[in-house]
Amino acid sequence: MRNPALTHLRDAVREEITNAFESVGFAKPRHVARLVCAANPGAIADIGSRLAEDALTDMARRELKNNTEQRECHLQMLLPGVPDAVTHLLPPAISIPCNDGGEGDVDAVIYKPLAQVTFDELKAHLDLLSSQITADIRRHRALTELFDMALAMGATPDARVFDVLGATQRSEEEVA
């Protein structure tokens, strides 16, 4: 069951993002968060520890992804036959999908030091990475096509992409 206070705050965040887009044309996550906190102190108080836990979880996730202390020396000792060029690119830990569902699927992955990973866990990480890369490639291709279409239709650096594409659509309708 979803927490009603969290649902309310999620809706408030969406509303502030919409307001920011309409009023200034862009949104800054921290600014949105401050506005929502100021407008909803009761809901924030109700779920304060959960929000703090979520923020710390995000912090831990970033640290797990970016931690590189002592990794090069340690990996070189563990992997004597692996070239330095490869060793320097290896992460200290990898994310592995898990299906325990113990926390309501909040954490669908675990992080494990690379030195302790099994072959099956490495395969699971590679599959997860592959699906993320595939999604990024799709988005990149779609955005590149949008960029190229707008450029071909005369977009200038300050022009809004949808305005350029919409103007072309309107001129085609006028000709028809």
Side-chain angles (χ1 to χ4, degrees), residues 167-176:
T168 304
Q169 176 80 22
R170 285 188 294 276
S171 65
E172 287 176 2
E173 290 171 357
E174 290 171 5
V175 170

Side-chain angles (χ1 to χ4, degrees), residues 56-69 71 88-96 107-114 125 128-129 132 136:
L56 291 170
T57 298
D58 289 343
M59 187 185 303
R61 191 175 291 116
R62 279 191 304 275
E63 285 300 314
L64 285 162
K65 286 182 178 181
N66 298 323
N67 182 4
T68 57
E69 286 181 36
R71 128 190 139 144
H88 292 338
L89 296 174
L90 294 174
I94 62 170
S95 54
I96 304 162
D107 291 315
V109 298
I110 61 168
Y111 288 83
K112 194 169 185 181
L114 189 58
H125 174 73
L128 178 65
L129 206 55
Q132 292 169 346
D136 285 345

Side-chain angles (χ1 to χ4, degrees), residues 64 67 69-80 87 90-96 111-119 121-122 125:
L64 285 162
N67 182 4
E69 286 181 36
Q70 301 175 348
R71 128 190 139 144
E72 290 165 11
C73 178
H74 181 67
L75 282 175
Q76 286 175 8
M77 290 188 303
L78 288 175
L79 306 169
T87 302
L90 294 174
I94 62 170
S95 54
I96 304 162
Y111 288 83
K112 194 169 185 181
L114 189 58
Q116 297 175 15
V117 169
T118 68
F119 186 73
E121 291 168 334
L122 180 58
H125 174 73

Side-chain angles (χ1 to χ4, degrees), residues 84-173:
D84 286 348
V86 173
T87 302
H88 292 338
L89 296 174
L90 294 174
I94 62 170
S95 54
I96 304 162
C98 66
N99 297 324
D100 69 6
E103 296 181 31
D105 291 330
V106 171
D107 291 315
V109 298
I110 61 168
Y111 288 83
K112 194 169 185 181
L114 189 58
Q116 297 175 15
V117 169
T118 68
F119 186 73
D120 280 347
E121 291 168 334
L122 180 58
K123 170 128 179 42
H125 174 73
L126 290 171
D127 291 345
L128 178 65
L129 206 55
S130 180
S131 66
Q132 292 169 346
I133 290 168
T134 299
D136 285 345
I137 288 170
R138 276 193 218 112
R139 277 189 295 276
H140 182 268
R141 285 181 181 155
L143 290 169
T144 299
E145 187 170 336
L146 188 69
F147 179 88
D148 291 345
M149 288 171 54
L151 188 62
M153 294 174 184
T156 60
D158 293 336
R160 291 186 177 165
V161 174
F162 283 14
D163 290 348
V164 172
L165 297 173
T168 304
Q169 176 80 22
R170 285 188 294 276
S171 65
E172 287 176 2
E173 290 171 357

